[in-house]
Amino acid sequence: MILIKAFKNLMKRLQLCGMTGFLAGLIAGFIIMFIFLIVPGMVLSVKKAVFLSLILAAFDIIVLLFTEYIILRYTVKSIFWGVFFNSILTCFFTVFACKLLNLYYLAGIIGMVIGAIIGILLCRLNYLLQMRMFKQLNQN
Amino acid sequence: MACIERRPNCGSPLPNADLEPLEDIAAVAAVIVSVVTAVVAVISAIGSITVEGDVITIEIGDFVLTQFGSVAGASVAFITAAIIVGTIILYKVERCNGNTGTRECIAGVVNEVVPDFADTVQTMFPFTAMHNRADMVIKSKFWDAAESGDAYVYCTDVEPPERSIIMRCYFYSSQVCSAMDGAIAGGIIGGLVGTAGGYGLMTAIACAGFFLCLLVLLLVVAVAAIFTLAGAAAGGNIAMASSGNSPAVVDDLPVSVGDYLTVRGHMEQKGYDNGANVIWWVDVGSSSLSGQASSDVPSNPYSYCDLDEDFEEDACNYKQ
């Protein structure tokens, strides 16, 4: 329960986009870890890494859209692009980070960290774009 | 109409998203994956993994595990089921424990009634259901209570001075908590079936190559999730049906829009309500009905300006 409380406090700081990235990275990393347990010694070429990222991203998008629609009651239209970009970027960076570091057994943790960072950066980018639009509207 | 000069301290126009259930899922999943990662890292460090043909063997000292592929499939399915069941348990802890905040007395008019199992999603997945709720436009003398503790404040969507504070008052529903118990039991059974299914899938399809292995693993996760959720939905619905309806009732009458209510209960800030102060739960025995708003009191929404005049004597015995 202590660990759950600690992670819950972390989640409160991440907000929705940070948590979306966190979950995308967690799911992707979890799958990568088990793949490399079942097929150890596998050498991942750049082409295979790209394919792996795309397949994991597609899976992440489906799971996250379902979860955020059922649990948080967002409409699919309102969350789709956020989930899409979060999943694509998180899966790519997670796969390539594991490939570069050759730490596939830690893919779960790597995925969580990368996902949270990408989610926070996307939140920030969204905020800056909204502020820019707001300023332009005021000038008009 | 007796409006006051003070404006209610309403929540921001763009409230923070209510993320609490997702935070629970993320926290449970993170703990489970972290523990599994730690176990795997230790095994990799102290043991060995060898591949001969399509048989994978893990050796740690004298312990030998062969054909890890099928066990990995079952493990992935089990972990997926555990995350889902763990989340449902957290829902139960959050929604079926109450009476922990400070005692409060609030009076106002019922502006809206939201029953338990209010929409299709809550009926399909009963563990997401919420207790019966009455949203009350409250008298101005209770505004300080609603705003206390830097809480988010719900308000009516009208211009001042008629803008009024809405207090959410939850009535305990035994059907909601029974559904949670049923969902946990059903989820465990579904999870076990999903785990067996995961083992069977990995054994039957096996890992002839990297991408086939990946697709099989994703299929195992999907199968485990579907079986666990289906089990939770079935268990929740069975428990919900056998529990019987428990509507919001005060003075043996169902609460309805326009009722003048004095509610007593524990007040606490709930993440589900964007951090607003809510009554969780209404103490039905010590709450009371004081009639209905007359037809010449404007509704949709009600305003404290009319309420303060029309519902002057409430049962809170609170003198401002």
Side-chain angles (χ1 to χ4, degrees):
Chain A
M1 282 306 279
I2 297 170
L3 271 177
I4 289 178
K5 274 191 183 165
F7 272 111
K8 269 193 88 169
N9 288 335
L10 172 65
M11 294 306 117
K12 284 187 197 307
R13 292 173 186 275
L14 289 180
Q15 296 295 319
L16 181 60
C17 10
M19 251 200 294
T20 302
F22 181 90
L23 282 170
L26 184 151
I27 294 167
F30 177 65
I31 300 289
I32 292 168
M33 180 176 69
F34 267 91
I35 282 288
F36 279 88
L37 275 178
I38 299 169
V39 192
M42 173 76 201
V43 174
L44 204 59
S45 65
V46 171
K47 191 174 167 187
K48 274 187 174 165
V50 169
F51 271 123
L52 176 61
S53 308
L54 287 173
I55 293 170
L56 288 173
F59 186 75
D60 271 350
I61 288 167
I62 294 168
V63 170
L64 288 170
L65 283 177
F66 177 81
T67 305
E68 290 182 11
Y69 170 65
I70 294 290
I71 305 293
L72 292 181
R73 313 299 172 85
Y74 285 114
T75 60
V76 172
K77 192 178 164 188
S78 67
I79 54 172
F80 179 80
W81 290 114
V83 167
F84 178 82
F85 285 113
N86 236 319
S87 300
I88 294 267
L89 290 170
T90 299
C91 290
F92 265 95
F93 281 104
T94 302
V95 169
F96 278 91
C98 291
K99 176 177 157 56
L100 275 168
L101 299 169
N102 201 26
L103 284 174
Y104 296 102
Y105 298 143
L106 295 178
I109 307 284
I110 292 170
M112 284 191 250
V113 171
I114 288 176
I117 293 170
I118 286 176
I120 290 168
L121 288 174
L122 284 175
C123 273
R124 186 78 189 146
L125 179 66
N126 185 45
Y127 173 76
L128 290 171
L129 284 172
Q130 282 193 337
M131 289 302 292
R132 197 172 158 191
M133 260 171 50
F134 181 69
K135 279 182 187 166
Q136 278 177 351
L137 278 169
N138 272 348
Q139 279 165 7
N140 292 341
Chain B
M1 197 159 80
C3 302
I4 59 175
E5 277 187 29
R6 158 154 136 73
R7 286 191 182 195
N9 195 15
C10 300
S12 68
L14 294 170
N16 288 329
D18 159 39
L19 301 173
E20 196 174 62
L22 193 63
E23 290 169 3
D24 292 342
I25 297 168
V28 168
V31 167
I32 291 174
V33 169
S34 301
V35 167
V36 170
T37 302
V39 167
V40 166
V42 166
I43 290 173
S44 312
I46 65 173
S48 70
I49 301 174
T50 54
V51 180
E52 283 185 32
D54 60 356
V55 176
I56 300 157
T57 304
I58 293 176
E59 290 183 54
I60 304 169
D62 294 332
F63 175 78
V64 178
L65 176 67
T66 59
Q67 294 190 331
F68 180 67
S70 304
V71 173
S75 304
V76 166
F78 183 79
I79 289 166
T80 304
I83 289 171
I84 294 171
V85 173
T87 305
I88 298 173
I89 291 172
L90 277 182
Y91 262 104
K92 159 121 191 177
V93 167
E94 195 261 327
R95 300 212 173 151
C96 295
N97 284 307
N99 298 330
T100 53
T102 51
R103 279 201 67 86
E104 194 58 70
C105 183
I106 301 284
V109 63
V110 177
N111 196 58
E112 188 183 356
V113 176
V114 181
D116 53 3
F117 305 97
D119 55 37
T120 315
V121 170
Q122 290 188 29
T123 311
M124 277 176 60
F125 300 100
F127 56 87
T128 63
M130 188 41 112
H131 298 276
N132 297 302
R133 190 180 92 219
D135 290 351
M136 286 182 21
V137 167
I138 60 175
K139 295 166 69 172
S140 58
K141 67 182 188 180
F142 300 108
W143 283 6
D144 287 338
E147 292 167 354
S148 62
D150 287 329
Y152 180 80
V153 176
Y154 286 100
C155 291
T156 55
D157 188 19
V158 293
E159 288 179 7
E162 283 83 30
R163 184 179 292 161
S164 309
I165 290 182
I166 294 173
M167 187 87 161
R168 291 183 165 188
C169 304
Y170 287 94
F171 292 74
Y172 176 79
S173 166
S174 58
Q175 209 176 20
V176 166
C177 294
S178 296
M180 301 269 181
D181 290 334
I184 291 168
I188 290 171
I189 294 169
L192 290 171
V193 171
T195 303
Y199 183 87
L201 265 172
M202 285 301 277
T203 310
I205 302 177
C207 279
F210 181 80
F211 283 106
L212 181 62
C213 213
L214 170 68
L215 290 172
V216 172
L217 256 189
L218 293 178
L219 186 61
V220 164
V221 169
V223 163
I226 287 167
F227 272 103
T228 310
L229 283 170
N237 274 290
I238 290 168
M240 181 180 85
S242 59
S243 171
N245 207 14
S246 47
V249 163
V250 171
D251 289 345
D252 295 326
L253 290 169
V255 170
S256 55
V257 173
D259 283 345
Y260 284 151
L261 265 189
T262 302
V263 299
R264 284 190 167 83
H266 289 84
M267 189 176 76
E268 54 183 86
Q269 287 189 17
K270 296 294 276 186
Y272 180 86
D273 303 287
N274 287 319
N277 282 319
V278 305
I279 301 295
W280 182 276
W281 296 297
V282 172
D283 182 357
V284 172
S286 57
S287 301
S288 57
L289 264 171
S290 302
Q292 270 254 325
S294 54
S295 54
D296 51 350
V297 171
S299 60
N300 201 28
Y302 289 99
S303 164
Y304 78 91
C305 305
D306 304 306
L307 189 62
D308 283 354
E309 262 186 36
D310 207 47
F311 185 24
E312 215 174 324
E313 294 296 323
D314 57 70
C316 280
N317 303 321
Y318 173 75
K319 303 282 180 221
Q320 199 169 16

